[in-house]
Amino acid sequence: MSTTALQITGVDFVTLPALDFDESFRFYDETLGLEFRTRWGSMPAAEFQAGNLTIAIMEPTAFGQEFAPHRVPLALQVADVEAARAHLESLGVRFVSGLIDSGVCHQAIFLDPAGNALDLHHRYAPPAGA
């Protein structure tokens, strides 16, 4: 047994499954306007930067895994949820919720081309206890 304690120092990236890699690539690159960082060689996978978080998209079947979209949303920080929603809707993005007001933040949930849940999110008040 090791005497060194596990010390997780951060999260390097999160991965979202793509059903059609090229369609997902265009969505994250063009529709969301995220900064493209790198491809995973010739494999159907790529990384995009969203502020302090790297989002990797990949076709799981190319890596011997089964495709299943994420059903709980990945929250993407924006300054104005309603304005960001209107912009994305004008580009044909499908939202699956109205404006959600939790008492500390506004949110609106939408789907990427593979059916992964994403969330426009803006915190307007400090969290309880902060």
Side-chain angles (χ1 to χ4, degrees):
M1 183 170 155
S2 173
T3 59
T4 305
L6 175 67
Q7 293 184 348
I8 297 172
T9 59
V11 175
D12 285 332
F13 62 89
V14 296
T15 306
L16 296 175
L19 193 55
D20 175 326
F21 174 75
D22 293 330
E23 181 180 33
S24 288
F25 186 96
R26 282 189 301 277
F27 180 81
Y28 286 88
D29 184 46
E30 298 171 14
T31 304
L32 295 184
L34 297 180
E35 178 187 348
F36 167 69
R37 284 296 179 100
T38 189
R39 281 285 305 254
W40 293 5
S42 62
M43 298 298 286
E47 295 178 7
F48 292 89
Q49 198 64 33
N52 65 340
L53 179 66
T54 300
I55 299 172
I57 57 166
M58 64 174 270
E59 259 183 50
T61 55
F63 294 85
Q65 301 171 5
E66 186 176 319
F67 171 81
H70 284 269
R71 296 293 184 199
V72 292
L74 174 64
L76 304 172
Q77 184 180 59
V78 296
D80 183 330
V81 171
E82 291 183 29
R85 178 188 181 131
H87 172 73
L88 289 177
E89 285 179 325
S90 76
L91 299 174
V93 173
R94 183 171 75 100
F95 280 76
V96 295
S97 81
L99 181 67
I100 300 165
D101 186 341
S102 71
V104 297
C105 62
H106 289 142
Q107 302 177 64
I109 300 170
F110 63 103
L111 303 177
D112 77 359
N116 296 301
L118 301 171
D119 180 16
L120 296 176
H121 181 269
H122 176 76
R123 183 177 301 279
Y124 61 81

